[in-house]
Amino acid sequence: MSPEIGHFALVLGLALALVQSVVPIWGSRRGDNALMATAPPVALGQFAFVALAFATLTHAYLVSDFSVENVFMNSHSTKPLIYKISGVWGNHEGSMVLWVLILTLFSALVALFGRNLPLTLKANVLAVQGWITAAFLLFILKTSNPFARITPAPMEGRDLNPLLQDVGLAIHPPLLYLGYVGFSMSFAFAVAALIDGKLDAAWARWVRPWTLVAWIFLTAGISMGSYWAYYELGWGGWWFWDPVENASLMPWLAGTALLHSAIVMEKREALKVWTVLLAILTFSLSLLGTFLVRSGVLTSVHAFAVDPERGVFILAILVAFIGGSLALYAWRAPTLKQGGLFAPVSREGALVLNNLFLTAACAAVLVGTLYPLALETLTGAKISVGPPFFNWTFGPLMVPLMIAMVFGPFLAWKRGDLVAVTQRLTLAFAAAILATLVAYAVSTGGPVMAPLFIGLAFYVIVGALLDIAERVQLFRAPAATSLARARGLPRSAWGAAIAHAGVGVMLLGIVGETAYKQETIVQMRPGDSVSVAGWDITLQGLVPVQGPNYRDLVARLTVREGGVDAGTLAPAKRVYTARAMPTTEAALKTRGVSQLYVSPGDAGTDGSIALRFFYKPMVLLIWIGTLVMMLGGALSLSDRRLRVGAPKPSARRAAAAVQPAE
């Protein structure tokens, strides 16, 4: 498959994107249904051409076509098949094609499954998507052509960055991009509604499933990236507040706020202006993350260091879409009717509080991420904003958020009774107190506040379970009645409770890993032993191993627990032959939800090797918690009310609505 086919497909995709960005919105302004109806087939055609370009680039990697510069710079003939495939998006040019492929995929999904959308709204949404697609296709063709040729073709490639040759890379970027790009749908719906000047509860119900899809995938992408960095980089941590990590966290926080705000808008037609602003800001933060990764302003294992031209081009896209949408918002927002009023102590009030803490946390991360860059640009001074800043600004905002998160589902709409809700949460408070006391009793070290956070985690988990128990009248009604109520409970209610419980599970893992981890660093020779958290570990020897495109020096370790053989570990120092670049391959041993983590250092001339041992209590609960959150999101997404969109009024109600009042 010739690379020129892929390049030509991108050009045709750009042409269709320009058609999609102009014709449907022109039709909506003129009230011409025929022009608006062009949007779906054009969106499908655009997706087909971008998919063809992506398939062409993938084929070039599979056959090791080193006449393509992108393949030469990021592949090698001896590289395993899975890394040839993942190498397609393991570089700037290929990742941008994947970015646009996912963007056109969402447009195609709206074209195929948006039959319940009003024709004008659907046309405007696809037109906005067309604007975004056209901008990024132009960026690819102008500055980041993935099909550029080399003449004469080299015999061998330079190989992919060794840090990226891991199964995690095959999973992490596509999931992350599905989240990043998925929020373009929320943005498109917001801009389309502002163009049309119509914003109501039906709009909130239409936008929620797309936002939820993006939120689920972004949660999965962040979680997978965290676990990948944890086991691949050999440093033993799971989150470093790296600027590029923060770039993915910010749209997640804003997207979470958007999900909760959309609920208020759907149920009470309140927070209209705020919800639209959140939809704009969430995707704007996704664009900001794209700029940070690809502008060259950051140096990170995650970032692509590229030439300034690309950074300036993406910055122009950033200014155009963020500035344009905010200008449209400033023009249209004053004309939007406000919804119903509600008391501060109500479910709406709890969701507003949720939004305030989430947006404040997002702002704290944004300031900590951009301030060093802005300072260096303006003054030339270089400073580092590290974990202490984020821990002391982000953490305190999460504590009241989690406390309020449990109260929200128990409060009534419009006006709630705080005292009554507190009484209904007695069991959650009791579980928190008991967990705190037990943690204080059994802990042998760690921060004095750690047991309080363990209590908070149990409060969140039990509170989420109590929400379901209250809804089904568990132990207050006959078992058959409770079972029938559980079956009839909307899946969105189950999903919200499960997702909230997942937050508590994740918090439990964070506290266990950060407060009670143990670390031991030793220089070992064959036959030496060390004890870590009840495990007796013996170094048997150092063994060289030849891989397909690398060489390993493996430390063979035997593990015994209570005098009984508990298996082996094989951490390694790895060198990739093409780039002569060393990496660290950590070894993990799991006990329940805790892990023994072994990271090798450099080998000595006397046959010894430095080994770094970590014992990480409850660390797996961090990622189990995110999986539970994703399960909750998936259950909510499967709720029929979200899948079918806003219900259409019955014929009788529609007729009554148009009859003049007597």
Side-chain angles (χ1 to χ4, degrees):
M1 188 181 295
S2 172
E4 283 70 29
I5 294 176
H7 186 264
F8 189 54
L10 289 179
V11 174
L12 292 177
L14 174 60
L16 288 180
L18 293 173
V19 173
Q20 182 181 324
S21 63
V22 174
V23 175
I25 202 165
W26 183 26
S28 72
R29 295 298 89 196
R30 295 183 55 186
D32 190 324
N33 290 351
L35 292 178
M36 288 189 286
T38 61
V42 171
L44 292 172
Q46 184 187 152
F47 169 68
F49 282 121
V50 176
L52 175 60
F54 186 80
T56 303
L57 184 60
T58 303
H59 179 265
Y61 270 84
L62 292 176
V63 299
S64 296
D65 183 357
F66 298 123
S67 69
V68 178
E69 183 179 10
N70 185 263
V71 180
F72 164 70
M73 295 294 293
N74 299 283
S75 192
H76 195 276
S77 60
T78 62
K79 191 168 64 172
L81 176 63
I82 186 172
Y83 302 139
K84 287 185 178 181
I85 296 173
S86 63
V88 175
W89 54 81
N91 59 88
H92 168 76
E93 293 83 0
S95 68
M96 288 308 304
V97 177
L98 177 64
W99 206 99
V100 175
L101 175 66
I102 294 172
L103 185 64
T104 58
L105 171 63
F106 277 103
S107 296
L109 291 175
V110 172
L112 289 173
F113 302 109
R115 291 184 294 271
N116 60 325
L117 293 174
L119 184 59
T120 300
L121 179 63
K122 185 176 181 179
N124 287 339
V125 166
L126 288 175
V128 175
Q129 287 288 98
W131 299 344
I132 303 170
T133 307
F136 278 96
L137 280 174
L138 188 61
F139 169 74
I140 292 173
L141 292 169
K142 178 70 169 61
T143 71
S144 310
N145 180 13
F147 300 106
R149 291 278 200 171
I150 300 177
T151 305
M155 294 297 295
E156 191 54 87
R158 294 186 58 188
D159 206 358
L160 182 65
N161 184 337
L163 290 176
L164 304 181
Q165 294 193 38
D166 185 84
V167 176
L169 178 69
I171 304 171
H172 166 57
L175 291 176
L176 201 64
Y177 289 179
L178 282 165
Y180 268 155
V181 182
F183 283 124
S184 69
M185 292 307 308
S186 307
F187 175 84
F189 270 93
V191 173
L194 290 173
I195 291 172
D196 202 34
K198 183 178 180 182
L199 202 63
D200 52 18
W203 178 89
R205 182 169 290 188
W206 284 318
V207 81
R208 271 184 67 196
W210 297 104
T211 304
L212 193 53
V213 166
W215 182 88
I216 292 170
F217 280 116
L218 187 56
T219 304
I222 294 173
S223 177
M224 183 67 246
S226 169
Y227 190 67
W228 169 57
Y230 166 74
Y231 73 77
E232 174 64 19
L233 299 184
W235 63 299
W238 54 274
W239 191 264
F240 191 65
W241 294 107
D242 179 282
V244 183
E245 291 176 334
N246 296 346
S248 62
L249 179 61
M250 289 186 288
W252 186 90
L253 292 168
T256 305
L258 173 60
L259 278 175
H260 291 83
S261 180
I263 294 173
V264 179
M265 185 174 169
E266 179 189 344
K267 300 292 185 182
R268 299 277 298 133
E269 290 208 33
L271 304 183
K272 291 182 180 180
V273 175
W274 174 243
T275 303
V276 169
L277 179 60
L278 274 178
I280 293 172
L281 292 180
T282 300
F283 183 60
S284 298
L285 290 168
S286 294
L287 289 178
L288 178 63
T290 302
F291 169 73
L292 290 175
V293 174
R294 288 169 172 79
S295 64
V297 300
L298 295 179
T299 300
S300 165
V301 67
H302 307 82
F304 298 104
V306 296
D307 62 79
E309 182 186 2
R310 294 174 178 175
V312 171
F313 202 118
I314 292 183
L315 184 60
I317 293 174
L318 200 69
V319 171
F321 282 103
I322 297 178
S325 59
L326 289 179
L328 178 63
Y329 172 82
W331 175 46
R332 282 290 200 181
T335 67
L336 299 176
K337 295 181 179 179
Q338 296 299 319
L341 300 176
F342 53 87
V345 179
S346 61
R347 189 173 298 187
E348 297 98 321
L351 291 170
V352 168
L353 192 65
N354 158 288
N355 270 224
L356 289 175
F357 282 117
L358 284 170
T359 51
C362 183
V365 177
L366 180 66
V367 170
T369 303
L370 295 186
Y371 177 71
L373 302 177
L375 185 66
E376 183 178 357
T377 300
L378 295 175
T379 68
K382 293 187 177 183
I383 66 168
S384 175
V385 176
F389 168 83
F390 295 103
N391 292 339
W392 283 103
T393 55
F394 184 85
L397 290 169
M398 292 296 102
V399 173
L401 172 64
M402 291 185 186
I403 294 172
M405 182 175 70
V406 176
F407 274 82
F410 289 88
L411 291 168
W413 293 104
K414 197 172 182 179
R415 182 178 297 276
D417 187 338
L418 192 60
V419 175
V421 170
T422 303
Q423 292 173 345
R424 293 160 69 186
L425 286 172
T426 300
L427 186 58
F429 291 123
I433 294 171
L434 180 60
T436 301
L437 294 175
V438 170
Y440 270 118
V442 302
S443 61
T444 57
V448 68
M449 295 292 290
L452 292 176
F453 284 102
I454 290 177
L456 177 61
F458 274 91
Y459 160 79
V460 172
I461 296 169
V462 175
L465 297 178
L466 282 177
D467 177 29
I468 297 297
E470 285 284 328
R471 289 173 181 267
V472 303
Q473 296 184 350
L474 188 65
F475 304 129
R476 293 191 292 114
T481 302
S482 294
L483 183 60
R485 290 177 67 90
R487 288 174 178 168
L489 201 63
R491 291 182 184 177
S492 58
W494 282 100
I498 291 173
H500 289 174
V503 174
V505 173
M506 183 177 66
L507 176 60
L508 201 58
I510 291 172
V511 176
E513 194 278 336
T514 56
Y516 301 115
K517 67 181 177 183
Q518 301 174 28
E519 180 180 356
T520 303
I521 302 176
V522 293
Q523 190 80 18
M524 299 182 70
R525 293 180 177 84
D528 289 351
S529 297
V530 64
S531 294
V532 180
W535 276 301
D536 295 316
I537 306 158
T538 303
L539 175 62
Q540 298 298 321
L542 302 178
V543 181
V545 175
Q546 181 65 49
N549 61 333
Y550 60 82
R551 297 187 307 273
D552 272 350
L553 181 64
V554 179
R556 300 288 187 188
L557 301 170
T558 57
V559 183
R560 298 178 67 83
E561 186 175 10
V564 179
D565 185 23
T568 61
L569 291 171
K573 294 295 290 186
R574 177 171 294 178
V575 177
Y576 285 81
T577 52
R579 296 201 179 193
M581 180 176 175
T583 63
T584 299
E585 303 298 317
L588 303 172
K589 186 166 187 60
T590 301
R591 177 201 283 162
V593 293
S594 303
Q595 284 190 327
L596 174 67
Y597 185 108
V598 186
S599 176
D602 294 326
T605 56
D606 58 352
S608 66
I609 188 171
L611 293 171
R612 190 177 188 185
F613 297 90
F614 294 95
Y615 175 61
K616 296 176 170 291
M618 301 188 291
V619 66
L620 292 181
L621 291 181
I622 296 172
W623 299 290
I624 291 173
T626 60
L627 289 173
V628 174
M629 291 163 63
M630 286 183 278
L631 173 61
L635 274 176
S636 294
L637 189 62
S638 69
D639 193 313
R640 185 176 181 275
R641 294 177 302 169
L642 291 185
R643 285 185 287 110
V644 302
K648 295 181 179 179
S650 65
R652 180 180 298 176
R653 285 192 289 119
V658 299
Q659 289 179 354
E662 296 180 0

